[in-house]
Amino acid sequence: MSLQKETNFEQVFREHFKALHGYAYKILDDSDTAEEAVQQVFLRFWERDWENVIHTSVKSYLYKSVYYECLNVIKRGHLKQRYATHQQQHGNVETYIDGADKELKNQLHVALSKLPEKSRVVFEMSRFQELKYHEIAAVLELSLKTVEGHMTKALRHLRIHLADYLNIIVILLINGL
């Protein structure tokens, strides 16, 4: 990035940050969260070729971006709360497969424990909490493609690890676990 673009960016940042923080604070009612939201907007602003991309006023672009970022923060908060509540009410994976063959439970537990942490969490949120990929991405603050990659990895791993138990799994899935 040229020195001129850096200077222009710094000027825009200094000119608008405080007011944008106040605007975000009115929406989120938390100073730290508001600051993070505004910083996130400026980070994306910095990453884009903003001088050539923005066709409206910079001020209106920033306010609109902060507004939508605040809405996303609120939505992620609701999803995190929903996930935490669900975890408290339903516990771990064992709850979902009560009545299944003990060996299958053990093998599923072993297979899930061998997954990388993010892949396991994504799988559990998708299959056990029945969250959609975009909801998982919002809660974990990952991209949609990253969530899809973790699910692919988890399913491939489980398919290999649980191949001998496929008939039992199919019957359980048909009966709704």
Side-chain angles (χ1 to χ4, degrees):
M1 182 174 268
S2 73
L3 183 58
Q4 181 61 40
K5 284 187 177 183
E6 287 182 33
T7 304
N8 291 348
F9 177 82
E10 186 174 334
Q11 180 182 355
V12 168
F13 181 85
R14 289 178 190 271
E15 186 177 324
H16 296 287
F17 182 83
K18 189 174 181 179
L20 289 169
H21 177 266
Y23 178 64
Y25 178 77
K26 285 180 184 177
I27 297 169
L28 299 170
D29 199 32
D30 180 88
S31 183
D32 292 337
T33 307
E35 183 176 338
E36 288 175 26
V38 174
Q39 287 175 347
Q40 186 64 35
V41 167
F42 273 109
L43 176 64
R44 282 195 302 272
F45 190 67
W46 170 263
E47 291 171 343
R48 292 191 176 123
D49 185 17
W50 62 275
E51 291 179 311
N52 295 321
V53 172
I54 298 174
H55 303 294
T56 62
S57 77
V58 171
K59 183 177 178 179
S60 65
Y61 175 87
L62 289 171
Y63 271 89
K64 191 171 193 176
S65 296
V66 167
Y67 174 77
Y68 285 115
E69 181 64 26
C70 289
L71 292 181
N72 286 335
V73 166
I74 292 167
K75 184 176 180 182
R76 281 192 300 268
H78 289 304
L79 288 172
K80 284 180 183 179
Q81 182 61 38
R82 194 169 112 198
Y83 177 71
T85 301
H86 192 274
Q87 285 294 90
Q88 288 175 341
Q89 291 173 348
H90 298 288
N92 61 20
V93 173
E94 302 293 320
T95 303
Y96 296 97
I97 55 176
D98 278 346
D101 179 69
K102 184 174 179 150
E103 181 63 22
L104 176 59
K105 286 197 293 189
N106 290 338
Q107 289 303 317
L108 180 59
H109 182 71
V110 168
L112 289 174
S113 69
K114 289 182 180 178
L115 280 170
E117 178 71 15
K118 284 278 191 201
S119 295
R120 182 185 55 75
V121 169
V122 167
F123 177 83
E124 288 177 354
M125 291 175 78
S126 172
R127 295 305 191 252
F128 301 134
Q129 279 86 46
E130 299 177 3
L131 295 176
K132 293 177 176 34
Y133 286 3
H134 70 275
E135 293 173 324
I136 296 168
V139 170
L140 299 178
E141 297 179 355
L142 300 171
S143 74
L144 187 58
K145 287 290 183 191
T146 302
V147 170
E148 291 171 357
H150 282 300
M151 276 302 292
T152 300
K153 182 187 294 186
L155 292 171
R156 184 179 311 125
H157 172 77
L158 292 174
R159 195 169 24 251
I160 291 168
H161 190 82
L162 299 173
D164 295 338
Y165 302 92
L166 185 58
N167 291 337
I168 296 171
I169 292 171
V170 169
I171 291 169
L172 288 173
L173 289 174
I174 290 171
N175 292 326
L177 286 179

